[in-house]
């Protein structure tokens, strides 16, 4: 039993630090991007790096202020740029490294891009505590009656155009 | 009592159909956009219209296929285009009409844009039932150790650059 444990340790222990180093390396790049973006005034301090195999596809930061685009968070910018660069809409062979835990918008974007793995540094809570957040009331109304029925019909009427 | 009820009905009843008609009108435009987008192959059948006061700022549909951008949902496209057109990052004086209940990514974008009101047509569930969804496993890892500490430090170190 002791021999088996030792063998397993010898066999598998080098793998863990290697993956750790790889993850740390790309995450460090995302953190550097975050600083760069804040320093040049492009946006808040958030960075994201998309990796394919072991190579960096794109390294981006928050571009909200620069692009005057409230959706231009680091992760969304990175996904858009990676898709353009790779000329593909599906990033299922890619990973994303984010300096901070993605917000629901960015997490949605990561899922839509089919990225297979997300590694993040800081907790989202830390960004909120430091004041990197905002509150705004949003009134939400679900339509009713005929117009709601017309909206519901959309999917059935166009379904055949999108074979799964 | 009867007189008060009648007076209230006379006073307020014209307001309700007017708002309803206004909402229906813009929502109908969003539905038309959704059909247009699907028919020309730009993306799945989703439309969104941004309104300022009583005027349409932009009317957009899903551009995921056309732009090869998995984040180019109708609402995100509309927010981006509205910000460009109005040359402002804050859409708090605008409303958004969406043919379908926004996904978490788009709802996040709507909140970040500070749009004050959202009116939607179909339920998100209807889109899912019709097959307009996808499933993909995403592995999520929270970094630990030194690199996580470096990521956490980002906010404190850059906070002063972003006065609230």
């Amino acid at each position: 039993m002791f021999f088996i444990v030792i063998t397993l340790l010898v066999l598998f222990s080098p793998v863990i630090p290697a993956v750790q180093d790889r993850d740390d390396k790309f995450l460090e790049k995302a953190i550097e991007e975050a600083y760069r973006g804040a320093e040049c005034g492009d946006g808040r301090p958030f960075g994201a790096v998309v990796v394919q195999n072991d190579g960096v596809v794109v390294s981006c930061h928050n571009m909200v202020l620069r692009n005057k685009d409230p959706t231009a968070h680091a992760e969304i910018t990175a996904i858009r740029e990676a898709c353009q660069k790779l000329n593909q809409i599906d990033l299922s062979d890619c990973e994303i490294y984010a300096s901070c835990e993605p917000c629901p918008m960015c997490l949605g974007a990561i899922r839509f891009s089919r990225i297979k793995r997300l590694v993040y540094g800081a907790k989202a809570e830390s960004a909120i505590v430091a004041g990197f957040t905002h509150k705004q009331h949003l009134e939400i109304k679900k339509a009713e009656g005929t117009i709601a029925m017309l909206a519901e019909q959309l999917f059935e009427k166009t379904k055949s155009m999108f074979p799964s």
Side-chain angles (χ1 to χ4, degrees), chain A:
Chain A
M1 181 63 190
F2 180 74
F3 177 73
I4 295 170
V5 171
I6 293 296
T7 310
L8 285 172
L9 278 173
V10 170
L11 277 173
F12 293 104
S13 65
V15 176
I16 300 163
V19 171
Q20 193 64 35
D21 287 350
R22 180 182 178 277
D23 282 348
D24 285 5
K25 184 182 73 176
F26 293 128
L27 203 47
E28 195 178 354
K29 196 168 176 63
I31 296 169
E32 284 166 6
E33 269 292 345
Y35 277 111
R36 197 171 303 135
E39 279 155 16
C40 69
D42 283 350
R44 291 175 161 189
F46 296 87
V49 173
V50 172
V51 172
Q52 191 184 42
N53 300 321
D54 283 325
V56 170
V57 180
V58 292
S59 178
C60 300
H61 52 249
N62 181 300
M63 294 289 283
V64 167
L65 299 177
R66 166 76 58 158
N67 293 353
K68 277 199 181 156
D69 175 1
T71 75
H73 283 196
E75 298 91 325
I76 290 213
T77 306
I79 289 167
R80 275 184 212 152
E81 289 195 12
C83 288
Q84 294 304 309
K85 197 166 176 180
L86 298 172
N87 194 32
Q88 62 191 53
I89 206 169
D90 181 331
L91 302 179
S92 54
D93 56 349
C94 295
E95 296 161 278
I96 191 163
Y97 290 79
S99 61
C100 184
E101 187 177 356
C103 71
M105 176 179 75
C106 291
L107 192 61
I110 292 167
R111 291 191 184 277
F112 284 122
S113 74
R114 300 178 187 267
I115 279 175
K116 64 179 173 184
R117 186 167 180 259
L118 154 70
V119 181
Y120 68 88
K123 288 174 289 182
E125 197 189 320
S126 310
I128 294 165
V129 168
F132 292 106
T133 182
H134 72 260
K135 285 178 190 168
Q136 173 93 2
H137 174 69
L138 171 67
E139 182 195 333
I140 302 179
K141 178 188 163 185
K142 162 81 184 82
E144 288 179 2
T146 311
I147 196 75
M149 199 188 66
L150 290 172
E152 293 286 348
Q153 284 174 351
L154 252 169
F155 306 116
E156 275 310 312
K157 289 200 172 176
T158 57
K159 203 176 164 180
S160 60
M161 297 178 193
F162 300 91
S164 54

